[in-house]
Amino acid sequence: MARGDLTDEEWSLIEPHLPLGERGPIPDLRLQFNAVMWRFRAGCPWRDLPAEYGPWSTVMSI
């Protein structure tokens, strides 16, 4: 878990309010959520997203 990522307690408060995907729960939704938060915290372009969050194009399309 990177600095600034959601703790288990924070995630348990947020997750119930997130929509399901077209075919059920979205895999790695927490990782993608953390990636979006990192991007806005850093104020950088999507392409500068750290590799630990996965491909920037996948996170951007959420």
Side-chain angles (χ1 to χ4, degrees), residues 1-16 18 29-31 33-34 37 41 53:
M1 178 162 69
R3 184 178 64 125
D5 285 355
L6 294 172
T7 64
D8 291 338
E9 184 179 334
E10 292 167 333
W11 181 246
S12 70
L13 295 172
I14 293 171
E15 186 179 26
L18 298 175
L29 183 58
R30 183 176 179 174
L31 182 65
F33 194 90
N34 283 329
M37 289 188 352
R41 208 172 35 248
Y53 292 117

